[in-house]
Amino acid sequence: QVQLVQSGGGLVQAGGSLRLSCTTSEHTFSTHDMGWFRTSSTEVRAFVAGITWTGRTTQYADSVKGRFTISRDDVSNTVNLQMDNLKPEGTAVYFCGARRPKMAWGDHWGQGTQVTVSS
């Protein structure tokens, strides 16, 4: 069973930074691509960023390119999302996801964490 445990998030002013983390088992971490998605008043589980199980390839939504960075920590089996220069439209519940390589996202999710960006 794949379990994803999220931490981080909170309230920040526009232009500020927050960091999200998602920890899972060693087995899951070494065999699954990891990603971040968000749900807001305007979008449902929209893709934000992803990183392959090898860590070699990352992908970002156009709206966050240059401001968000996804990374993997192989020691702690954690995927991190560093969010800089946050904008009010970034206010959402953020979800960590995991998938087998080249499979669809949607089978495994973290519990979700609220990020609120004030203007």
Side-chain angles (χ1 to χ4, degrees):
Q1 184 177 358
V2 174
Q3 290 190 324
L4 306 173
V5 179
Q6 298 179 217
S7 60
L11 172 65
V12 67
Q13 288 188 328
S17 298
L18 284 174
R19 184 181 179 91
L20 303 179
S21 296
C22 175
T23 301
T24 187
S25 70
E26 181 178 0
H27 174 74
T28 297
F29 198 71
S30 64
T31 57
H32 286 65
D33 298 338
M34 304 293 290
W36 289 95
F37 295 74
R38 64 189 180 190
T39 293
S40 67
S41 59
T42 59
E43 54 190 6
V44 178
R45 292 282 170 100
F47 175 80
V48 175
I51 187 166
T52 55
W53 68 278
T54 61
R56 294 191 188 117
T57 302
T58 59
Q59 189 175 9
Y60 297 92
D62 289 343
S63 59
V64 306
K65 280 180 181 176
R67 300 185 297 116
F68 289 15
T69 303
I70 189 170
S71 63
R72 297 172 63 106
D73 184 335
D74 292 339
V75 174
S76 61
N77 302 319
T78 298
V79 60
N80 299 303
L81 184 68
Q82 178 65 38
M83 304 184 292
D84 297 321
N85 191 20
L86 280 159
K87 302 178 180 180
E89 51 265 40
T91 295
V93 178
Y94 284 71
F95 294 90
C96 172
R99 68 167 187 183
R100 291 280 188 181
K102 300 185 180 180
M103 300 295 285
W105 298 97
D107 287 342
H108 310 296
W109 298 108
Q111 78 273 23
T113 186
Q114 178 70 45
V115 170
T116 302
V117 185
S118 63
S119 56

